[in-house]
Amino acid sequence: MTTAPAGGNCFGPRLEAGGALFQLWAPHARSVGVSVGDQPPLPMSRDAEGFWSVQTSAGAGALYRFEVDGQRAPDPASRFQPEGVGGPSQVIDSAAYVWNHPDWRGRPWAETVLYEAHAGLLGGFEGLRSRLPDLAALGVTALELMPIGEFAGARNWGYDGVMPFAPESAYGRPDDLRALVDEAHGLGLMVFLDVVYNHFGPDGNWLPRYAPEFFDTASKTPWGAAIDFHKTAVRRFFTENALYWLGEFRIDGLRLDAVHMILDQSWLVEMAAEVRSAFAGRHVHLVLENENNDAGLLRAGFDAQWNDDFHNVLHVLLIGETHAYYRDFADHPAERLARCLAEGFIYQGEPSPNHDGRPRGQPSADLPPTAFVSFLQNHDQVGNRAFGERLTRLADPRALKAAMGLLLLCPQIPMLFMGEEVGAREPFLFFTDFHGELAAAVRNGRRGEFAGAPGFADPKQRDAIPDPNAVSTYEASRWTDRAPDAADWRAFVADRLAVRRADLVSRLKGASSLGARAVGEKAVVARWRLADGASLTIAANLAAAPVAAELPDAAPLIGDYRPGAPLDGFTTLAWISS
């Protein structure tokens, strides 16, 4: 049963003529039943592979629970949890929603401008819908949602999800999510979803109780036992999840979280191939987060990887911090930025100080620039600071705007973090909604993480770090556009994205690097051959002092420049020449 039947799935309820088929993989269990509503449990039958199933008359909207060896449990493949992780699961008819834009086929990858957002902070699925026209007007082409799988409590980043098929009930119902996607498509926006296939959260995960085979207890991750992707049923669970979001919700792309923690990487290639086959008539995009800088996966069915190297080296150039993972970029950062612009990854097999001198990465110079998603900020790089400071609180605003110009105009795929387009100054903090001993463990663990960081040697200093479980921590992370320079920031971002749309996007597919070099302590010049044979030159100087550089003898696409003059401080210029 681990290969889904035509038109069906192995995990979660399946509505058929006459009622719902319930199914559960519980090879460890001695008996399994399903209780629908207030009815006594119906016994389920087991097959040779450990799948239990029973056909019922239950219809859409029915609430149900499994009983595994006499213990009640929700469905790990539940499609909705109206009362949260501890309540009953609900049967959902995914075909009942009437799409307003059924002919949408997505957009080519080269057109992508991502906007990462947390659904809860922006008012749930309905609140996000109201923001879509502004994003489209700004020049964003893709909304990327942080994980929305059901998690314990009402506040979470989403990476503690325990039911990856169930849209978080605090954000709305499944059809509210469909309406968000539908509205986005009507505005020409794609919707991407961040999915977590490397672990489950610590509260509400029932799988270890009745399917311990789901985990490889001999292999550890930062979150506990690794998920055992050697098991066929486990592989099917997550492949079905990818197909579910892309199919039943018409999501346009997935960003797979921390795939370096998926210990059997062959599943990634297998899943990507099945996705490509299933949605051959659509533009569907698959993006990785991968600490290993595995360039091979970008040649095996994946469109791109989040390029932490781009962020990290620019952070060093903008802020000057060189602790933790910034150690890898502390020396010669301008030269490292040049390599990033020319070749994608900075670490392509070199020893990494942050990894105890072990090699990190693989050669990537042959990959197109669009194989890399670049960003100045994201949920991790802001929220994993002790006080969640954005770059508007840390960097010289003139240097920050020059870096933003580089981000939005270079041929790599740009991503904005919510609020960045208006220069938001509010923090984005780490928040959860745990209780009791788990809440204390998360709070103390969070503060303990910073024991070796500059400024946190004294326990009293660490005690000032906001409690992740406090409502005030969550509320402090809500951003506004009330900063005095918000309109200026928005106009700047919109202008650069308009240039990107008019002059670059149609020429990006097939673009390749012509090299890059450092021309100053914080300055680089990079060139690319575009698809139509024209060349793009970008010169960026993040320092105050002008630098000498060989620049095109022509007016740039953006900014003022007198041919033959030095590259001014805090400036990014771009030229296209035939």
Side-chain angles (χ1 to χ4, degrees):
M1 189 174 174
T2 50
T3 298
N9 51 278
C10 294
F11 294 90
R14 193 160 77 224
L15 279 173
E16 300 177 337
L21 172 72
F22 293 101
Q23 46 200 352
L24 179 73
W25 188 61
H28 191 73
R30 296 182 301 275
S31 67
V32 176
V34 62
S35 179
V36 180
D38 296 327
Q39 299 301 309
L42 293 170
M44 300 172 71
S45 301
R46 184 190 192 280
D47 71 9
E49 296 181 79
F51 280 88
W52 299 75
S53 63
V54 64
Q55 182 70 49
T56 73
S57 60
L63 299 176
Y64 68 99
R65 284 188 171 96
F66 291 117
E67 293 216 5
V68 183
D69 293 335
Q71 186 176 25
R72 279 190 165 189
D75 187 348
S78 167
R79 273 34 179 181
F80 191 55
Q81 293 292 119
E83 299 173 27
V85 296
S89 304
Q90 187 170 44
V91 177
I92 298 295
D93 182 1
S94 64
Y97 182 85
V98 179
W99 292 88
N100 294 313
H101 305 284
D103 297 327
W104 171 264
R105 291 296 178 265
R107 300 182 65 155
W109 176 243
E111 297 180 4
T112 305
V113 176
L114 291 159
Y115 185 91
E116 187 189 20
H118 184 276
L121 287 173
L122 297 180
F125 301 137
E126 187 65 30
L128 269 170
R129 278 183 67 191
S130 68
R131 294 176 179 266
L132 294 177
D134 283 346
L135 293 181
L138 181 69
V140 166
T141 65
L143 170 68
E144 179 171 332
L145 299 174
M146 291 173 63
I148 60 170
E150 185 75 30
F151 51 75
R155 306 179 301 277
N156 200 285
W157 276 13
Y159 299 92
D160 290 320
V162 293
M163 295 174 182
F165 289 83
E168 168 57 40
S169 53
Y171 300 161
R173 292 188 59 83
D175 278 358
D176 296 326
L177 175 58
R178 291 186 175 92
L180 168 64
V181 175
D182 204 7
E183 181 87 3
H185 290 170
L187 293 167
L189 292 168
M190 297 180 283
V191 178
F192 283 59
L193 179 61
D194 196 343
V195 290
V196 183
Y197 296 155
N198 52 60
H199 76 288
F200 293 88
D203 187 0
N205 176 22
W206 290 75
L207 279 166
R209 305 188 192 187
Y210 54 77
E213 296 88 347
F214 212 92
F215 302 91
D216 176 3
T217 56
S219 301
K220 302 298 181 183
T221 75
W223 310 287
I227 294 172
D228 192 354
F229 276 89
H230 295 99
K231 297 279 198 320
T232 303
V234 173
R235 296 165 84 95
R236 190 70 219 162
F237 181 89
F238 290 107
T239 296
E240 283 191 12
N241 186 260
L243 296 171
Y244 166 75
W245 292 117
L246 296 168
E248 297 192 17
F249 290 87
R250 304 197 182 190
I251 296 288
D252 299 280
L254 303 176
R255 179 264 192 186
L256 280 68
D257 179 68
V259 299
H260 51 278
M261 289 299 175
I262 294 175
L263 301 186
D264 186 347
Q265 299 272 289
S266 68
W267 171 77
L268 292 167
V269 179
E270 174 188 298
M271 179 274 294
E274 187 162 347
V275 164
R276 299 301 181 197
S277 175
F279 302 106
R282 287 171 48 189
H283 292 290
V284 168
H285 309 300
L286 298 174
V287 181
L288 301 171
E289 180 193 31
N290 192 346
E291 174 69 15
N292 292 337
N293 279 3
D294 185 348
L297 288 172
L298 302 179
R299 305 181 188 98
F302 291 89
D303 295 275
Q305 177 183 312
W306 272 26
N307 195 1
D308 284 342
D309 286 1
F310 182 95
H311 165 273
N312 293 347
V313 73
L314 275 163
H315 190 91
V316 171
L317 287 164
L318 289 168
I319 310 300
E321 291 180 345
T322 58
H323 64 280
Y325 46 78
Y326 297 124
R327 290 183 295 164
D328 284 357
F329 308 87
D331 61 308
H332 307 293
E335 286 81 357
R336 293 183 183 277
L337 175 59
R339 188 183 203 195
C340 184
L341 295 173
E343 301 181 17
F345 295 142
I346 295 174
Y347 276 85
Q348 301 181 31
E350 294 79 12
S352 161
N354 190 52
H355 294 78
D356 299 322
R358 297 189 303 274
R360 172 176 174 252
Q362 298 173 357
S364 59
D366 65 300
L367 293 169
T370 53
F372 305 93
V373 173
S374 299
F375 44 88
L376 299 179
Q377 300 179 92
N378 66 26
H379 70 275
D380 269 331
Q381 311 298 357
V382 179
N384 282 332
R385 299 182 65 83
F387 295 104
E389 305 100 326
R390 295 173 180 260
L391 286 175
T392 46
R393 295 288 189 185
L394 301 169
D396 186 307
R398 298 167 297 174
L400 183 55
K401 274 197 174 171
M404 179 65 76
L406 174 63
L407 170 72
L408 298 181
L409 291 174
C410 88
Q412 298 177 9
I413 299 298
M415 184 177 75
L416 298 167
F417 182 59
M418 58 179 186
E420 201 171 3
E421 76 280 11
V422 292
R425 285 161 169 73
E426 294 84 358
F428 178 73
L429 296 159
F430 177 67
F431 49 80
T432 54
D433 186 17
F434 297 135
H435 303 277
E437 292 182 3
L438 179 57
V442 169
R443 178 176 59 251
N444 296 334
R446 173 72 173 170
R447 291 170 177 172
E449 288 177 10
F450 294 94
F456 292 99
D458 187 335
K460 292 182 179 179
Q461 295 167 317
R462 298 196 294 275
D463 287 346
I465 296 172
D467 178 359
N469 297 290
V471 175
S472 58
T473 301
Y474 177 76
E475 293 299 332
S477 300
R478 295 187 188 275
W479 59 270
T480 70
D481 59 0
R482 292 196 293 267
D485 56 351
D488 180 56
W489 264 107
R490 184 177 176 86
F492 179 88
V493 170
D495 176 72
R496 274 31 179 194
L497 288 178
V499 171
R500 182 183 185 88
R501 182 170 61 252
D503 295 294
L504 294 181
V505 165
S506 65
R507 298 158 146 167
L508 287 181
K509 186 177 181 180
S512 59
S513 173
L514 293 172
R517 68 188 190 281
V519 296
E521 184 181 3
K522 296 185 177 183
V524 296
V525 175
R527 298 178 66 236
W528 296 266
R529 178 72 64 199
L530 300 177
D532 61 354
S535 64
L536 167 68
T537 300
I538 295 182
N541 183 5
L542 307 185
V547 297
E550 295 181 11
L551 301 174
D553 188 15
L557 289 172
I558 56 166
D560 297 319
Y561 173 70
R562 178 171 51 83
L567 177 61
D568 285 341
F570 303 130
T571 297
T572 294
L573 302 175
W575 296 262
I576 291 180
S577 56
S578 56

